[in-house]
Amino acid sequence: AGRRAATMSGVLPTDKCKEEFLKLKDKRAYKFVTFKIDPEKGVVDVCDCVEKTAEFDFQTLLDKLPADEPRYFVLDWSATTADDRHIDKIFFVSWVPDTCKAKTKMLYASSKQALRNALDGVQLDHQATDYDEVTPEEFNERSGV
C-alpha cells in the first residue's frame, strides 16, 4: 500500500472503508455503508453495510444514525425524474448531530476529507445535523429530481 495523505486530525480511513465502498459503487451490493471514527485507534472504520434490496425502507438508514453520535455514510440513491428517467447517484454524507460535543464535531469535520478522498466515485456531498436533513425528498432534490 502506498503512503496515505495526512489529515488535519491525523485520522485516516482503513482499507476496509475503500473495499466496502467499491462493493457499493462497482457491484451495487449495498444500499448504504456507514463509517465512524475510532478515537482509540485514530482511524475511520466501517460501521454497517446494508445490502441492496428491491424494497428499500428509508427508516433502515435512519435507524443506523444515532441521535447523539456522528457518522459518515455513503448512499446509493435511485430515483425517477418527472419525465420518467431513472437516475442513480452516490452520496457522501456527514452526519454530525447538533447535540454532539464541540470536540467531537471538530474531529469529524477535520477527518472528513481523508475519507471522502478515499471514496473515488462519490457524485454528491451532503451534510446533515438533524433527521429533517436526511429524507428521501432531500436526496431527490439534490439529485435533480
Side-chain angles (χ1 to χ4, degrees):
R3 287 183 41 147
R4 297 183 191 184
T7 66
M8 287 172 40
S9 66
V11 174
L12 295 171
T14 61
D15 291 340
K16 188 176 179 192
C17 292
K18 193 170 186 175
E19 290 162 16
E20 298 299 345
F21 172 73
L22 289 174
K23 289 179 193 172
L24 177 142
K25 184 184 94 164
D26 297 337
K27 299 182 177 148
R28 299 293 205 214
Y30 301 130
K31 183 65 180 179
F32 65 89
V33 178
T34 63
F35 309 91
K36 70 177 179 180
I37 293 175
D38 180 337
E40 302 291 311
K41 295 180 182 168
V43 297
V44 180
D45 207 355
V46 174
C47 197
D48 291 292
C49 299
V50 175
E51 290 185 9
K52 200 168 206 177
T53 57
E55 289 301 314
F56 171 62
D57 180 0
F58 200 82
Q59 188 62 43
T60 308
L61 172 60
L62 298 178
D63 290 346
K64 300 289 185 187
L65 302 177
D68 57 356
E69 204 181 310
R71 292 287 187 271
Y72 304 113
F73 67 91
V74 285
L75 172 66
D76 184 359
W77 187 249
S78 302
T80 304
T81 63
D83 59 354
D84 234 23
R85 287 180 298 117
H86 185 78
I87 57 165
D88 288 303
K89 297 285 183 190
I90 297 176
F91 279 87
F92 175 85
V93 183
S94 174
W95 165 256
V96 184
D98 285 331
T99 55
C100 293
K101 293 180 178 143
K103 186 177 175 184
T104 303
K105 288 180 181 179
M106 287 170 48
L107 178 63
Y108 270 77
S110 61
S111 304
K112 179 172 82 172
Q113 202 57 48
L115 176 61
R116 175 65 180 81
N117 291 346
L119 307 180
D120 188 31
V122 167
Q123 294 153 310
L124 295 167
D125 293 273
H126 182 51
Q127 291 189 29
T129 59
D130 191 272
Y131 291 109
D132 293 348
E133 297 168 323
V134 184
T135 64
E137 295 76 19
E138 183 73 32
F139 292 110
N140 280 342
E141 188 177 312
R142 295 182 67 86
S143 299
V145 174

